Amino acid sequence: MTERCRCGWAKGELDVVYHDTEWGVPVHDDRQLFEFLILEGAQAGLSWSTVLKKRAHYREVFDQFDIAKIATYDASRVEALLADPGIIRNRLKVQAAIGNARATLEVQAKYGSLDAFLWQFVQGTPQINHRVSLAEVPAKTALSDQMSKTLLKHGFKFVGSTICYAFMQAVGMVNDHVVDCFRYAELLSDSPNVVK
């Protein structure tokens, strides 16, 4: 049996499973979108592998990323989270998760859903890129710059352009699998109405 061709960054076991089942798959559920937004922010300065190892525990201590519950977290909850070695113990990142939950509630009230708000940046349709190698994948784009500025205006934190682009890749707003990766074609066939 021949080994499937994958994007070069998928090396460890968790990375491979994530790459093969999640990365680049369009996400439209508000809770899942919020989870990715928080985890991508938590990743800042670290590796995604580190976040994946802590993801199950994040879900446990952050109430399965229930937006309304996280929006109610107070100072004592922040201190409890900062004492938990199972998450990335950075005060600014923990406080940003809570602030971002509150900002998400405001976005949901104004736009109907976090999904509608975020997917407007790609007109609701995944953008398909044609990367031959990982070296061609940018850290950010004009679109992620725009998303970052808009999120910051709405009170979100840890949403710089690089974080926003990683988020867009993760939730399938862009398909940045390299063209010879087996997932590139699979995602293309799953999304017939994509921007190519």
Side-chain angles (χ1 to χ4, degrees), residues 18 22-27 33 36-37 40 43 118-129 131 138-148 151 160-177 187:
Y18 172 70
E22 290 188 80
W23 196 66
V25 176
V27 173
L33 287 166
F36 273 114
L37 203 57
E40 292 292 353
Q43 180 201 355
L118 292 172
W119 276 85
Q120 70 177 321
F121 293 100
V122 290
Q123 287 77 52
T125 304
Q127 294 189 337
I128 306 302
N129 294 315
R131 318 288 190 197
K140 59 183 181 174
T141 64
L143 210 53
S144 66
D145 288 347
Q146 183 187 349
M147 179 185 280
S148 173
L151 285 169
S161 187
T162 300
I163 289 170
C164 283
Y165 195 65
F167 170 80
M168 293 172 80
Q169 292 171 313
V171 302
M173 290 181 183
V174 296
N175 178 348
D176 262 346
H177 286 276
L187 288 169

Side-chain angles (χ1 to χ4, degrees), residues 40-196:
E40 292 292 353
Q43 180 201 355
L46 304 167
S47 72
W48 184 245
S49 296
T50 299
V51 173
L52 283 178
K53 287 173 190 166
K54 296 177 178 287
R55 187 181 188 186
H57 193 67
Y58 260 94
R59 286 174 173 167
E60 184 182 328
V61 299
F62 276 92
D63 289 301
Q64 304 302 315
F65 289 98
D66 182 308
I67 300 161
K69 282 185 182 175
I70 295 171
T72 68
Y73 288 5
D74 58 13
S76 63
R77 186 62 178 263
V78 170
E79 296 310 315
L81 288 166
L82 290 173
D84 191 328
I87 67 165
I88 294 157
R89 294 185 286 180
N90 176 300
R91 182 176 296 276
L92 292 177
K93 290 177 179 179
V94 169
Q95 289 174 331
I98 299 164
N100 288 351
R102 293 168 184 160
T104 297
L105 292 178
E106 290 178 13
V107 159
Q108 287 174 325
K110 184 173 181 180
Y111 294 89
S113 67
L114 184 62
D115 174 54
F117 174 67
L118 292 172
W119 276 85
Q120 70 177 321
F121 293 100
V122 290
Q123 287 77 52
T125 304
Q127 294 189 337
I128 306 302
N129 294 315
H130 308 281
R131 318 288 190 197
V132 176
S133 71
L134 286 179
E136 293 180 9
V137 181
K140 59 183 181 174
T141 64
L143 210 53
S144 66
D145 288 347
Q146 183 187 349
M147 179 185 280
S148 173
K149 286 176 187 169
T150 305
L151 285 169
L152 288 166
K153 279 182 193 170
H154 282 80
F156 288 83
K157 306 283 188 214
F158 277 90
V159 287
S161 187
T162 300
I163 289 170
C164 283
Y165 195 65
F167 170 80
M168 293 172 80
Q169 292 171 313
V171 302
M173 290 181 183
V174 296
N175 178 348
D176 262 346
H177 286 276
V178 292
V179 292
D180 60 353
C181 172
F182 80 97
R183 287 296 285 154
Y184 178 82
E186 285 185 355
L187 288 169
L188 204 56
S189 64
D190 288 345
S191 305
N193 301 318
V194 293
V195 176
K196 300 178 188 177

Side-chain angles (χ1 to χ4, degrees), residues 19-34:
H19 170 276
D20 290 2
T21 61
E22 290 188 80
W23 196 66
V25 176
V27 173
H28 291 284
D29 175 77
D30 275 16
R31 189 206 59 77
Q32 286 180 282
L33 287 166
F34 178 74

